[in-house]
């Protein structure tokens, strides 16, 4: 369970996020949606203890993220940020191998290698595993980052816009696999998504943020209505019934 | 992820790239060749410095006497190369930058300020007052304390920001430099002359007795950094990724920076400022080692440092017969090699 209690982040006198109160039950995909600047990344990075908070507390699986040693948390929760850039020159496989660091401390065992293999093949990177990251396309690189986080193999996974740069096929494949993982293995995956239709299709719960606060939290049926979405995104959104469930039309 | 865990991994061909630091057979072979060539060059220059233009016949008693005197310089070069190489690589890794070096962070400026103040206050005898083992140790301690305070203050507490720390380090360095140059204006020409000799990096500045302290400390500190290689590999990925992978970023950062400051202080107190050497050696060794793994980068960097330093001395002493201005040749040859590498490879 992820429990966010009265969390506040003050960037400056004008920009503050929160207070946010949120309880996420274990298991399933929780999609964070909302307009640019709503505070989705801020909330996610605070959950992943990459950003300090100015008030309140967050606990994941009973561990207070501000107080639990980083090394212990690294086997419970993993986080992928919106932007990634490394000065080190790494191949795809070396990058994914770093995902095993919390367990191997840098000395990969055959079991680690197996997990790396699977993470790579799952993200369709097998043919690219020897390539350097700076020789990949944006979407291929994004998949490599996701593979690294998956190799970390944690109960809780926080992903900030993992579909960035992905084409249709890879977006659908990634969401399907995340959905499987959440349901068959009981993983809890919190994911920032911009495509509301994707969120509705694959997420178990939607959390809508606006101006630094959570304005709606519920099942896709509850959130996918014209009123809620129009209010959250401040643009006219119509919701229609499509062949596979509801569709938001905003263009 | 269900698939990640349940689906058996597809069989991998034997020559598939490995997860290790040198992924292919070609990369492993290349690394071995690099190390062998560097080691051969280091031996060549080392022996050349001992034996070249030695007036006594090789193997005679007199030959060894002269060689022994020169050996001190060679050991000094080894220590300086090790310190500068390991310190610069570690510093650039934990600050995730490949442009700034620890010398820019006020070390050399502080050394210059200490030397200048001594001459300013005590006159020419000031330089003599700074000779001796206790004085050497004191200078090292002052430099390490200065940087430990700086890092401790800037990286904990309210700022907690690496960029601000680098900026303040550079500004403090600049401030110290201008205070020194102001004091230098007020010196008599002869005092200034004596001082200048100390402010150019020169291996013969090192008194053999300094090595008794310098060598063991440099070896131990470099060894500690070498043993932290795995964590350095993660730190190179930046603060966020390090935290995600369970590395206590702030603690590691401060530990590494203090170790770096010990190495820099030893090198600077031994021979004086060598501003460009660390940068050159680190940049070349990233190209030569071509891996993320510090276990492989450190040896290449230390060897490169020794080859550059001893090569520069060899050329200076035996080709140009101009002793003492080695930093000039390091900057000239090093800068050229550096530009060549960058232009050819197109990346740092
Ligand atoms: N480092 C920072 N310093 C100051 N303000 C910041 C900082 N990071 C974010 N903000 C501000 O905080 C607010 C929330 O930003 P955040 O990145 O969390 O939004 P987001 O919902 O992830 O947006 P996007 O969809 O564009 O990624 C924005 O108004 C932003 O300008
Ligand atoms: Mg964001």
């Amino acid at each position: 369970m992820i429990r966010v209690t009265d969390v506040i982040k003050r960037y400056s006198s004008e920009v503050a996020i929160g207070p946010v109160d949120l309880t996420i039950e274990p298991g399933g995909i929780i999609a964070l949606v909302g307009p640019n600047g709503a505070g989705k990344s801020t909330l996610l990075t605070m959950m992943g203890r990459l950003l300090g908070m100015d008030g309140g507390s967050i606990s994941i699986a009973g561990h207070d993220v501000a107080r639990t040693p980083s090394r212990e948390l690294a086997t419970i929760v993993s986080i992928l940020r919106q932007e990634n850039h490394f000065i080190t020159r790494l191949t795809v496989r070396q990058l994914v191998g770093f995902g095993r660091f919390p367990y191997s401390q840098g000395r990969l065992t055959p079991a680690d290698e197996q997990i790396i293999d699977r993470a790579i093949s799952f993200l369709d990177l097998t043919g690219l595993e020897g390539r350097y990251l700076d020789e990949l396309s944006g979407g291929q690189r994004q998949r490599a980052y996701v593979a690294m986080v998956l190799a970390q193999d944690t109960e809780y996974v926080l992903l900030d816009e993992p579909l960035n740069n992905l084409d249709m096929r890879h977006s659908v494949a990634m969401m399907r696999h995340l959905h499987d993982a959440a349901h068959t293995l009981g993983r809890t995956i919190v994911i920032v998504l911009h495509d509301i239709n994707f969120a509705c299709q694959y997420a178990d719960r939607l959390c809508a943020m606006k101006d630094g606060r959570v304005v709606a939290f519920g099942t896709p049926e509850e959130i996918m209505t014209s009123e809620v979405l129009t209010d959250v995104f401040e643009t006219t959104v119509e919701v229609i019934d499509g062949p596979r469930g509801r569709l938001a039309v905003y263009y | 992820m269900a698939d990640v865990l349940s689906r058996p991994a597809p069989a991998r061909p034997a020559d598939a790239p490995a997860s290790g630091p040198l992924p292919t057979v070609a990369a492993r072979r290349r690394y071995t060749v690099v190390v062998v060539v560097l080691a051969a060059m280091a031996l060549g220059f080392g022996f050349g410095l001992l034996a070249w233009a030695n007036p006594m016949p090789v193997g005679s008693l007199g030959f060894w006497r002269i060689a022994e005197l020169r050996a001190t310089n060679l050991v000094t070069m080894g220590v300086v190369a090790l310190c500068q190489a390991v310190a610069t690589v570690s510093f650039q890794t934990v600050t995730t930058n490949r442009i700034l070096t620890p010398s820019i962070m006020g070390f050399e400026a502080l050394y210059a300020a200490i030397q200048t103040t001594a001459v300013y206050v005590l006159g020419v005898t000031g330089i003599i007052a700074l000779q001796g083992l206790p004085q050497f140790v004191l200078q090292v301690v002052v430099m390490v304390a200065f940087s430990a305070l700086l890092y401790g203050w800037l990286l904990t507490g309210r700022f907690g920001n690496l960029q601000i720390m680098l900026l303040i380090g550079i500004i403090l360095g600049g401030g110290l430099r201008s205070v020194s140059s102001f004091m230098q204006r007020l010196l008599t020409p002869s005092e200034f002359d004596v001082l200048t000799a100390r402010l150019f990096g020169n291996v013969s500045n090192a008194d053999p007795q300094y090595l008794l302290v310098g060598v063991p400390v440099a070896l131990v500190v470099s060894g500690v950094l070498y043993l932290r290689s795995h964590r350095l590999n993660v730190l190179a990925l930046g603060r966020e990724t390090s935290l995600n992978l369970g590395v206590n970023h702030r603690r590691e950062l401060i530990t590494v920076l203090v170790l770096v400051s010990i190495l820099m202080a030893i090198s600077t107190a031994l021979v004086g400022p060598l501003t460009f050497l660390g940068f050159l050696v680190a940049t070349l060794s990233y190209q030569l080692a071509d891996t993320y793994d510090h276990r492989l980068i450190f040896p290449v960097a230390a060897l490169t440092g020794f080859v550059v330093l001893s090569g520069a001395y060899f050329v200076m002493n035996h080709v140009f017969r101009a002793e003492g201005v080695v930093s000039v040749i390091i900057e000239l040859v090093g800068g050229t090699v550096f530009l060549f590498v960058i232009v050819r490879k197109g990346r740092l």
Side-chain angles (χ1 to χ4, degrees):
Chain A
M1 179 151 61
I2 303 179
R3 185 167 279 154
V4 178
T5 321
D6 287 332
V7 163
I8 298 177
K9 177 74 200 176
R10 284 187 206 93
Y11 279 122
S12 62
S13 48
E14 305 98 67
V15 185
I17 307 295
V20 175
D21 264 293
L22 189 64
T23 304
I24 296 174
E25 298 295 334
I29 294 185
I30 295 87
L32 274 180
V33 297
N36 289 145
K40 306 178 295 294
S41 298
T42 304
L43 182 60
L44 204 76
T45 44
M46 286 192 294
M47 284 182 188
R49 50 94 169 77
L50 304 185
L51 182 68
M53 30 196 160
D54 296 314
S57 67
I58 298 178
S59 75
I60 296 183
H63 300 267
D64 184 332
V65 296
R67 256 176 262 134
T68 313
S70 208
R71 186 161 167 187
E72 201 178 325
L73 272 182
T75 57
I76 299 167
V77 55
S78 54
I79 176 164
L80 175 72
R81 295 196 319 142
Q82 195 168 354
E83 316 268 340
N84 294 281
H85 175 72
F86 303 130
I87 56 158
T88 321
R89 201 155 170 269
L90 295 171
T91 65
V92 170
R93 197 172 171 90
Q94 290 169 340
L95 177 78
V96 177
F98 271 108
R100 298 306 298 162
F101 188 83
Y103 309 91
S104 69
Q105 300 296 316
R107 289 176 195 80
L108 296 173
T109 63
D112 290 323
E113 298 282 357
Q114 292 253 316
I115 294 175
I116 296 168
D117 277 345
R118 291 186 206 127
I120 285 176
S121 73
F122 153 56
L123 280 151
D124 203 9
L125 289 164
T126 310
L128 301 172
E129 64 179 350
R131 286 251 214 120
Y132 284 94
L133 291 179
D134 54 7
E135 303 163 350
L136 296 181
S137 77
Q140 292 168 336
R141 207 175 302 140
Q142 181 70 12
R143 269 149 55 206
Y145 294 140
V146 175
M148 166 178 160
V149 170
L150 294 191
Q152 210 176 325
D153 202 16
T154 52
E155 231 14 79
Y156 292 83
V157 182
L158 314 174
L159 301 169
D160 199 346
E161 302 193 23
L163 303 186
N164 249 349
N165 293 318
L166 293 201
D167 60 23
M168 281 184 262
R169 177 166 83 92
H170 286 110
S171 299
V172 170
M174 186 179 298
M175 288 314 294
R176 282 206 183 128
H177 282 99
L178 291 177
H179 187 265
D180 279 356
H183 288 268
T184 50
L185 296 171
R187 299 288 156 92
T188 312
I189 301 171
V190 183
I191 178 170
V192 177
L193 287 177
H194 269 295
D195 187 329
I196 187 76
N197 292 323
F198 254 94
C200 175
Q201 180 68 34
Y202 294 103
D204 300 288
R205 272 153 293 161
L206 299 186
C207 173
M209 291 189 72
K210 185 184 169 185
D211 298 333
R213 283 161 190 271
V214 174
V215 289
F217 184 82
T219 60
E221 288 70 38
E222 288 164 347
I223 308 293
M224 275 297 266
T225 65
S226 175
E227 299 78 60
V228 175
L229 294 184
T230 302
D231 175 54
V232 168
F233 290 98
E234 289 178 338
T235 181
T236 316
V237 182
E238 281 174 67
V239 176
I240 57 170
D241 279 320
R244 310 251 174 94
R246 292 189 200 170
L247 276 179
V249 181
Y250 44 89
Y251 37 81
Chain B
M1 235 177 321
D3 279 80
V4 175
L5 293 177
S6 55
R7 190 200 302 165
R12 281 161 54 75
D15 60 345
S19 329
L22 296 170
T24 56
V25 178
R28 284 189 283 276
R29 195 174 301 138
R30 183 181 164 285
Y31 181 83
T32 316
V33 170
V34 164
V35 170
V36 169
V37 169
L38 282 175
M41 286 172 80
L43 281 177
F45 282 128
F47 185 72
L49 280 173
L50 285 182
W52 195 277
N54 190 326
M56 303 308 239
V58 177
S60 72
L61 198 67
F63 174 85
W64 288 115
R65 283 246 169 81
I66 292 178
E68 203 178 307
L69 289 177
R70 295 177 175 182
T72 308
N73 280 356
L74 216 55
V75 173
T76 310
M77 282 179 213
V79 177
V80 168
L82 182 71
C83 288
Q84 293 273 347
V86 173
T88 308
V89 169
S90 307
F91 181 86
Q92 295 196 331
T93 291
V94 295
T95 56
T96 58
N97 94 87
R98 292 207 162 160
I99 308 290
L100 296 181
T101 62
S103 9
I104 296 179
M105 296 289 301
F107 274 99
E108 292 173 356
L110 187 63
Y111 170 84
I114 293 174
Q115 301 282 333
T116 309
T117 312
V119 176
Y120 182 72
V121 176
L122 301 173
V124 177
T125 46
I127 285 291
I128 313 214
L130 282 179
Q131 312 280 307
L133 196 55
Q135 288 88 334
F136 168 77
V137 173
L138 190 69
Q139 280 191 65
V140 170
V141 170
V142 167
M143 283 190 262
V144 173
F146 168 79
S147 49
L149 276 178
L150 188 68
Y151 301 145
W153 168 51
L154 292 172
L155 292 178
T156 56
R158 197 161 57 85
F159 301 110
N161 183 321
L162 201 58
Q163 253 56 46
I164 293 179
M165 182 201 86
L166 294 177
L167 192 65
I168 293 188
I170 293 171
I171 292 171
L172 283 181
L176 282 172
R177 256 185 286 273
S178 39
V179 170
S180 306
S181 65
F182 175 70
M183 284 194 284
Q184 284 162 14
R185 298 282 136 102
L186 304 177
L187 299 177
T188 66
S190 62
E191 286 170 338
F192 184 70
D193 210 36
V194 173
L195 179 65
T196 313
R198 303 292 306 179
L199 295 184
F200 264 108
N202 188 342
V203 168
S204 35
N205 281 346
D207 190 318
Q209 56 169 342
Y210 298 172
L211 294 175
L212 291 179
V213 176
V215 171
V217 175
L219 285 178
V220 168
V221 173
S222 307
V224 170
L225 282 166
Y226 180 80
L227 291 177
R228 294 178 105 79
S229 290
H230 288 305
R231 264 177 276 176
L232 286 171
N233 296 342
V234 174
L235 288 171
L237 304 180
R239 177 182 168 274
E240 276 80 14
T241 309
S242 306
L243 277 174
N244 177 41
L245 295 177
V247 170
N248 185 336
H249 183 260
R250 181 183 291 172
R251 197 179 65 200
E252 288 298 318
L253 180 63
I254 293 179
T255 312
V256 171
L257 287 178
V258 169
L259 293 175
V260 164
S261 70
I262 296 174
L263 291 178
M264 287 307 291
I266 289 190
S267 163
T268 312
L270 266 180
V271 300
L274 288 169
T275 316
F276 197 56
L277 181 68
F279 174 72
L280 173 71
V281 166
T283 308
L284 283 178
S285 57
Y286 300 138
Q287 308 294 331
L288 291 173
D290 198 19
T291 172
Y292 67 87
D293 191 355
H294 287 74
R295 292 199 162 218
L296 301 174
I297 298 176
F298 280 145
V300 169
L303 279 175
T304 309
F306 186 78
V307 168
V308 169
L309 207 53
S310 57
Y313 266 89
F314 188 79
V315 170
M316 247 354 192
N317 292 357
H318 299 304
V319 179
F320 294 114
R321 309 204 165 272
E323 298 187 21
V325 272
V326 160
S327 38
V328 176
I329 203 159
I330 291 179
E331 285 172 28
L332 194 71
V333 176
T336 316
V337 171
F338 171 69
L339 281 180
F340 176 76
V341 169
I342 296 300
V343 169
R344 266 203 58 193
K345 282 217 166 181
R347 63 182 160 80
L348 276 175

